[in-house]
Amino acid sequence: MMPDQFLVKGNFHEGNFGDDALLVAVQLLLSKHSNRVVYDCECLAYTHDVASGLMMADQSSLFSSDYIVYGGGTQFFSFKSSATAEVAQPSVASRFLKWILDPSRLVASIKTRCRARKESELKRLAIGIGYGPFGNDLEGKKAAMDLAESMDFTWVRDDASEVFCREAGLDNYVRGADLCFSSEFLNYFRSDSPLILPANYSRPKKLGIIFRDWSHADISTSYATCMRVAQRCRALGWEVDFYVFSKGDKLTLKYLEESGEQPNVWDAATTSITEYSNQLASCDSILTQRFHGAVFAILLNIPYTVITLDPKLEMVGDLLGDDAKLSPQQSQEDYFMCVERTMREASEIKKELEAVLIEQQERSDSAAAALLEYLSAQSHG
């Protein structure tokens, strides 16, 4: 009897540091159950260490797979929007006319329908994902509930998602944490621990600021505030470095270039996760617009403050309390006071971070154990 095959879906082709770390975590976790793990994307941006030699899905992979896995990081929720225009949906007649004029459309549509039918026959797993909040968007919430109900096993990473699952009447979920807190990922991460250098306390204090592109709202005010805080910190003799987790963050890179900054940009093709983490490890404090900026601050025991662009950042900020959260609209003084506090109270915050990591690892490992138990039961059922 052949071992189970997993067909994994995720944003692993984009070259985003957080997604690439999740790729490693997914592979480490699923490979404990089977050596047949294939990735449903054109290519993997990250191909170092654990990700070296992983298999890409081909046309037959769907039909030889036993599970579809939605692998880590996805947060389903609704953003507030000022847009009021509705997007017109093409009618059945117009779609049919397009098929007649362009037969390739019809062939592609048939293939898509066949693929969807086959996918519906496979077991579906969602690991390390999040749901909510949805505010007044009842339609979005209903769509997310329909998606959640289609899963055979769900691992959610936060309290709000657990509440969502209860509201949806689900009984096939477990409350875990982000995949990067799993023992599988931590053991991988720590295996190169000699390469992870602690901050050098004989040098000036160093602040790391993690920027990102954001299409859901205007965050130019937050950019400008961070730049003024950087200037203030440098005036005190502190070092400030900027980090960008994706080369696809074109607006961010343009802004930093015009500001005269040379950011540390994640390059999945040339840098390993450990090597990039080593750059982050040189910071005494991290101010981040990225969720996994805070996750890696926890892994590296670095005091952090999140800029709450979305619910994921609210969630990871809550792990340290309100003092670790800033809204994009808050003042320069608020930003600076938060950063200054992380420097001044570093020893106390580091103790809190140690406790946070232990709790998150326990949650993640509990979910991982439940997943492997489920898979074992299915294999022997």
Side-chain angles (χ1 to χ4, degrees):
M1 182 177 178
M2 291 186 68
D4 292 329
Q5 177 164 299
F6 300 100
L7 182 67
V8 182
K9 294 177 175 288
N11 294 325
F12 303 131
H13 62 286
E14 295 180 354
N16 176 292
F17 179 66
D19 288 332
D20 294 335
L22 289 170
L23 165 67
V24 171
V26 167
Q27 178 63 27
L28 289 169
L29 186 62
L30 295 181
S31 63
K32 293 186 70 173
H33 181 78
S34 173
N35 59 2
R36 298 176 67 220
V37 183
V38 297
Y39 290 85
D40 192 15
C41 50
E42 294 181 3
C43 64
L44 296 179
Y46 188 68
T47 57
H48 301 285
D49 46 74
V50 172
S52 175
L54 297 184
M55 293 178 58
M56 298 297 97
D58 57 24
Q59 290 185 345
S60 66
S61 294
L62 175 63
F63 298 92
S64 60
S65 295
D66 304 284
Y67 297 93
I68 293 177
V69 181
Y70 297 83
T74 303
Q75 182 88 12
F76 297 94
F77 62 96
S78 299
F79 288 105
K80 294 179 181 178
S81 174
S82 59
T84 57
E86 294 184 1
V87 178
Q89 297 298 322
S91 66
V92 173
S94 67
R95 291 200 301 269
F96 185 67
L97 181 60
K98 288 179 180 178
W99 289 341
I100 293 175
L101 297 176
D102 185 357
S104 65
R105 287 177 178 266
L106 178 59
V107 173
S109 177
I110 292 172
K111 287 182 177 179
T112 299
R113 290 171 185 267
C114 289
R115 182 180 177 88
R117 187 178 300 112
K118 175 58 182 176
E119 286 190 6
S120 69
E121 297 171 358
L122 301 182
K123 296 287 187 181
R124 293 187 174 200
L125 314 175
I127 56 176
I129 68 168
Y131 291 105
F134 296 93
N136 296 323
D137 183 9
L138 299 181
E139 184 178 347
K141 185 173 184 179
K142 175 63 167 57
M145 283 187 170
D146 290 343
L147 175 69
E149 288 172 358
S150 74
M151 299 295 171
D152 296 282
F153 179 93
T154 299
W155 161 349
V156 294
R157 66 182 179 189
D158 59 88
D159 291 338
S161 299
E162 184 175 19
V163 171
F164 172 87
C165 289
R166 288 202 203 102
E167 289 182 7
L170 304 183
D171 58 6
N172 60 344
Y173 73 90
V174 295
R175 165 66 162 92
D178 190 79
L179 294 173
C180 291
F181 291 123
S182 67
S183 286
E184 285 78 15
F185 186 81
L186 282 169
N187 290 337
Y188 149 82
F189 190 65
R190 290 167 174 165
S191 68
D192 285 333
S193 57
L195 300 178
I196 302 295
L197 305 176
N200 182 353
Y201 295 105
S202 65
R203 56 151 178 76
K205 296 294 185 183
K206 181 176 176 181
L207 171 65
I209 301 178
I210 301 172
F211 272 177
R212 66 165 300 160
D213 279 10
W214 189 247
S215 61
H216 305 286
D218 182 3
I219 60 169
S220 58
T221 298
S222 178
Y223 276 2
T225 302
C226 287
M227 295 304 296
R228 289 194 295 271
V229 168
Q231 292 170 1
R232 189 167 172 179
C233 291
R234 285 166 174 161
L236 293 173
W238 299 354
E239 296 178 9
V240 180
D241 275 359
F242 288 85
Y243 298 84
V244 179
F245 280 10
S246 172
K247 292 195 291 185
D249 284 352
K250 301 296 186 183
L251 295 177
T252 296
L253 292 172
K254 183 174 184 290
Y255 178 86
L256 288 170
E257 180 182 357
E258 291 175 348
S259 301
E261 300 290 345
Q262 295 182 320
N264 298 291
V265 185
W266 166 246
D267 187 343
T270 62
T271 311
S272 74
I273 288 172
T274 299
E275 288 168 343
Y276 197 68
S277 298
N278 203 31
Q279 297 180 43
L280 292 170
S282 67
C283 299
D284 299 284
S285 174
I286 286 176
L287 177 61
T288 180
Q289 295 177 342
R290 284 278 188 185
F291 171 79
H292 276 97
V295 168
F296 273 79
I298 294 170
L299 296 178
L300 294 166
N301 198 234
I302 300 171
Y304 66 86
T305 309
V306 299
I307 300 170
T308 56
L309 303 183
D310 68 16
K312 291 187 297 184
L313 285 151
E314 288 270 3
M315 175 188 79
V316 77
D318 285 338
L319 295 176
L320 282 181
D322 290 341
D323 288 340
K325 297 186 296 183
L326 289 163
S327 77
Q329 295 78 32
Q330 282 183 251
S331 69
Q332 172 192 331
E333 188 64 22
D334 289 339
Y335 272 56
F336 178 77
M337 292 301 292
C338 274
V339 169
E340 191 276 333
R341 186 188 74 86
T342 60
M343 298 290 194
R344 175 169 35 86
E345 301 179 8
S347 58
E348 291 80 6
I349 296 173
K350 285 175 178 287
K351 291 176 183 176
E352 292 181 52
L353 286 169
E354 290 173 359
V356 165
L357 179 56
I358 290 171
E359 179 187 25
Q360 295 304 300
Q361 183 179 359
E362 288 175 349
R363 286 185 179 278
S364 190
D365 285 351
S366 176
L371 171 64
L372 293 174
E373 183 179 351
Y374 166 82
L375 292 172
S376 179
Q378 293 294 313
S379 297
H380 297 95

